[in-house]
Amino acid sequence: MGLIVQKYGGTSVGTIERILRVADRIIANKEEGHDMVIILSAMGKSTDVLVDMAKEITPYPSEREMDMLLSTGEQVSIALLSMALHQKGYDAISLTGWQAGITTEAIHSRARIKEIDPTRIRAELSRGRVVIVAGFQGISDEGEITTLGRGGSDTSAVTLAASLKADRCEIFTDVSGVYTADPRVVPAARKLDRISYDEMLELANLGAGVLHPRSVEAAKKYKVKLVVRSSFTSEEGTFVEEAPQMETGRVVSGVAHDEEVAKITVVGMPAKVGTLSRLFNTLADHQVNVDIIIQSSYDADVTNISFTVASGDLKHALDTLAKNREMLGFDKIDHEEGLTKVSIVGAGMVNNPGVAAEMFRVLAEQQITIKMVSTSDIKVSCVIPADLTDLAVRSLHTAYGLDVEQTAVVHGL
């Protein structure tokens, strides 16, 4: 017996039938004697529907009102699951993020969790109830409803598991675990039995949608026992843990891709000490996250600086630069959309020279132009044209020996 935290994604609770199936899974764990805390995403594509409704009114809705709107999606799913458990004879209670004691930064649409007061959850567990918490949301010290950004329900689950000192945290999704590539793109992708926190964090940051990056950071920091599983089968999932036993010869663990990439080039920046600091501090002060950075000088006094941002941040980044042009002192701004970042990740890359060279060779053979490159000890990323994404991912997956004969199954499509 123990305390289990489970998170179910939108696909897992996309219909009433699926909600009832989730209820049966929870009941099976409850019958084994476990205390259960459940975190839910909004049903199916309901968040997208809410976003589309807002954009019918205005293309640039207030972030505060968007948080107010989007937080309702999870409230629907938690209430329905609680009703399902009641109907099946089990006591349950649904709680919003703020009722569950989740306090966040005072930032709308992408807040970080500051602290969790688990008093209410523990009290409800002591009454024998299944506690169902709305993921993706919390409340600021000023009493404002906030959301954690897309995928934030994973972060809600892991941080709650850490706060409650849960025996394990299970993330249920539409695939059976963590794969060597997105099985929607690479049907020959292989499910990993185990993966390290560091590898998983790189994959998540580089576009693998199975886990939110901040949830992996929290799992590593608080040593949460994390498992990724499918809500559609009873198959064993993937364990995310510290320094797992690596497979012999597994240099590359996976191929990830992020199709939401835009490139900005600031042309004619003064080539002086402090130029980079002013540029990127200005962007950071306006909540613009920058990824790959390349600096190129064409004379002694002037330099060009290129960097990537998420496609959704492009307009905000361009507006921020335009408003600060006089202070930054650049000549003009160029930008490019329609890009993808393709990456290989593996802890075994540290001691194996030539891994990056192989990636460049494979992409060159497929006539794929590499626009930018970024490396670390366990990953290599290339920015390429978005229309060549599938070709690049499949070619790299094959080249590094990751293909298997069995076709990966994605449920709930």
Side-chain angles (χ1 to χ4, degrees):
M1 294 189 297
L3 172 58
I4 300 176
V5 173
Q6 294 181 339
K7 178 262 177 177
Y8 292 89
T11 304
S12 302
V13 292
T15 65
I16 296 300
E17 179 184 358
R18 291 177 186 176
I19 288 175
L20 292 171
R21 186 186 301 139
V22 166
D24 289 336
R25 187 185 288 270
I26 293 166
I27 289 169
N29 290 132
K30 186 70 174 171
E31 287 295 309
E32 293 173 353
H34 299 293
D35 287 332
M36 302 297 296
V37 175
I38 312 300
I39 290 80
L40 295 188
S41 298
M43 293 177 66
K45 299 293 184 180
S46 60
T47 299
D48 294 332
V49 172
L50 293 172
V51 170
D52 290 342
M53 290 171 63
K55 289 186 175 179
E56 285 184 24
I57 295 174
T58 170
Y60 306 113
S62 156
E63 288 189 335
R64 180 193 183 276
E65 300 308 329
M66 283 301 292
D67 277 0
M68 186 69 75
L69 176 66
L70 298 185
S71 64
T72 64
E74 281 69 23
Q75 292 179 49
V76 172
S77 58
I78 62 173
L80 290 172
L81 179 59
S82 184
M83 293 175 192
L85 288 166
H86 292 162
Q87 182 64 23
K88 292 173 180 288
Y90 288 81
D91 199 4
I93 185 169
S94 62
L95 302 174
T96 62
W98 43 100
Q99 288 175 317
I102 300 175
T103 303
T104 74
E105 301 170 332
I107 298 174
H108 289 294
S109 80
R110 51 189 176 278
R112 288 181 177 269
I113 295 174
K114 290 173 56 179
E115 61 180 352
I116 296 177
D117 179 358
T119 302
R120 174 75 184 274
I121 294 177
R122 291 194 183 280
E124 301 296 351
L125 289 173
S126 70
R127 298 184 179 101
R129 290 173 166 170
V130 174
V131 180
I132 307 165
V133 179
F136 172 69
Q137 62 185 243
I139 194 165
S140 70
D141 289 331
E142 294 78 15
E144 293 286 344
I145 294 173
T146 57
T147 63
L148 310 181
R150 284 299 182 96
S153 293
D154 292 345
T155 307
S156 301
V158 174
T159 51
L160 274 171
S163 177
L164 293 165
K165 295 180 170 56
D167 292 276
R168 68 178 181 270
C169 179
E170 299 178 335
I171 306 294
F172 286 90
T173 182
D174 54 1
V175 291
S176 298
V178 179
Y179 281 78
T180 50
D182 186 340
R184 299 167 185 82
V185 175
V186 184
R190 176 164 54 98
K191 193 192 79 174
L192 301 172
D193 294 328
R194 299 178 183 277
I195 190 170
S196 70
Y197 289 125
D198 288 338
E199 289 176 306
M200 189 66 249
L201 183 57
E202 286 284 13
L203 286 171
N205 277 318
L206 296 169
V210 69
L211 283 174
H212 192 279
R214 289 192 308 208
S215 71
V216 185
E217 289 176 355
K220 180 179 180 179
K221 180 178 180 179
Y222 298 108
K223 293 182 169 54
V224 174
K225 295 181 179 178
L226 190 58
V227 187
V228 180
R229 304 181 62 186
S230 170
S231 61
F232 295 88
T233 71
S234 58
E235 185 179 347
E236 197 70 61
T238 299
F239 290 85
V240 185
E241 58 190 12
E242 193 68 58
Q245 292 183 349
M246 305 300 295
E247 295 179 32
T248 303
R250 195 174 96 192
V251 177
V252 173
S253 295
V255 182
H257 68 282
D258 179 1
E259 295 177 280
E260 299 297 319
V261 176
K263 176 185 175 184
I264 296 174
T265 301
V266 184
V267 180
M269 288 284 287
K272 298 178 181 178
V273 174
T275 290
L276 290 175
S277 175
R278 284 194 300 276
L279 173 60
F280 293 111
N281 275 320
T282 299
L283 292 168
D285 289 344
H286 289 81
Q287 305 298 319
V288 177
N289 290 320
V290 173
D291 187 15
I292 301 174
I293 301 170
I294 294 176
Q295 181 178 4
S296 58
S297 297
Y298 58 87
D299 65 38
D301 299 318
V302 181
T303 185
N304 295 343
I305 301 169
S306 298
F307 55 91
T308 60
V309 298
S311 296
D313 289 338
L314 177 61
K315 182 183 183 302
H316 180 47
L318 294 175
D319 289 345
T320 298
L321 291 170
K323 290 175 183 176
N324 290 275
R325 179 174 181 173
E326 185 175 346
M327 183 270 291
L328 295 172
F330 58 82
D331 291 336
K332 66 175 183 175
I333 302 171
D334 293 330
H335 70 276
E336 184 177 2
E337 300 179 78
L339 301 175
T340 292
K341 181 171 63 177
V342 175
S343 309
I344 55 172
V345 175
M349 292 168 58
V350 177
N351 299 314
N352 286 272
V355 178
E358 175 68 4
M359 182 179 193
F360 302 149
R361 182 194 66 77
V362 171
L363 295 178
E365 282 187 353
Q366 299 299 330
Q367 301 296 307
I368 298 173
T369 301
I370 299 173
K371 295 177 177 288
M372 302 177 80
V373 176
S374 174
T375 66
S376 74
D377 285 345
I378 64 171
K379 64 97 172 173
V380 181
S381 298
C382 295
V383 176
I384 66 170
D387 58 349
L388 299 174
T389 300
D390 289 5
L391 175 61
V393 172
R394 290 170 183 163
S395 299
L396 291 168
H397 196 270
T398 299
Y400 288 105
L402 298 176
D403 290 356
V404 292
E405 292 184 5
Q406 184 177 354
T407 299
V409 177
V410 181
H411 298 273
L413 296 178

